[in-house]
Amino acid sequence: MWFKKRKDKKEKFPTKAISLEEVRSAIHTYSKDLPPNIPLKILIQDDLSLDYTLLAPILKAIPEKNYYMSKETYDLFEEEDKHIAHALDQVQQAVDQYIAQTKELPVIDHDPYRKVNFFKLEQLNLINERPEMDFYITDQEQLVTTEKPK
């Protein structure tokens, strides 16, 4: 029996301008085909940039710009806002640890917006420095967001 050597053909994709919304749509499409035991985090590299080798077949291109995604909340950001993705991850991890330790939310008491109280996180040494923006805890799965609830 003769076996043909399989050639690994890596398709080459052009680099072009791709909007944040197009990338977000490609991520959504990609996530629909993921097996349930594989987290969306596989798209996110250590520096929080996206792995375009996985998205290129959907986008039919490689984006000219880098996009960044929070590993904790899956929020997507452009290059100039990548610091927000890093801050989201830091604060989300601290909030999760605070809840695990105290069984309560680290929010300002009686705050209807559920603003994260950095002082409470600092008291348990869960953050080293305060981010330069406000964060709020959503009703959904106690995720952290930068958007103030209405």
Side-chain angles (χ1 to χ4, degrees):
M1 226 174 168
W2 294 95
F3 292 98
K4 285 188 177 181
K5 213 177 197 183
R6 194 179 91 196
K7 289 183 183 176
D8 288 329
K9 289 185 181 178
K10 284 202 173 187
E11 196 172 346
K12 294 277 186 189
F13 293 100
T15 301
K16 69 177 195 177
I18 296 176
S19 73
L20 183 72
E21 280 309 311
E22 289 173 298
V23 172
R24 188 172 281 128
S25 176
I27 291 168
H28 180 71
T29 300
Y30 183 82
S31 70
K32 284 196 275 185
D33 293 333
L34 275 178
N37 60 333
I38 305 290
L40 191 57
K41 286 181 187 178
I42 66 165
L43 279 177
I44 307 168
Q45 301 185 89
D46 289 341
D47 68 350
L48 302 185
S49 64
L50 294 175
D51 183 350
Y52 293 128
T53 59
L54 300 172
L55 293 175
I58 298 165
L59 293 166
K60 305 291 185 227
I62 303 286
E64 289 175 348
K65 299 191 323 188
N66 277 326
Y67 292 98
Y68 296 83
M69 184 178 264
S70 161
K71 287 184 178 184
E72 300 294 325
T73 65
Y74 298 133
D75 288 329
L76 187 63
F77 299 94
E78 293 186 2
E79 178 91 36
E80 59 272 12
D81 293 328
K82 73 179 180 181
H83 65 282
I84 300 173
H86 287 282
L88 268 172
D89 282 355
Q90 174 192 14
V91 174
Q92 183 68 58
Q93 289 170 0
V95 165
D96 291 345
Q97 290 174 350
Y98 185 91
I99 294 168
Q101 289 179 28
T102 67
K103 308 292 186 247
E104 60 183 48
L105 295 175
V107 296
I108 296 169
D109 295 335
H110 312 294
D111 181 3
Y113 300 113
R114 297 167 37 136
K115 182 177 175 181
V116 174
N117 184 333
F118 294 127
F119 180 70
K120 288 184 177 186
L121 298 177
E122 288 169 337
Q123 284 183 312
L124 295 181
N125 294 317
L126 299 174
I127 58 171
N128 297 329
E129 60 184 63
R130 292 181 185 204
E132 295 180 14
M133 62 192 73
D134 293 332
F135 290 90
Y136 304 89
I137 300 177
T138 66
D139 292 333
Q140 303 160 323
E141 300 179 22
Q142 298 166 335
L143 289 177
V144 173
T145 181
T146 57
E147 293 179 30
K148 186 176 184 177
K150 295 181 170 127

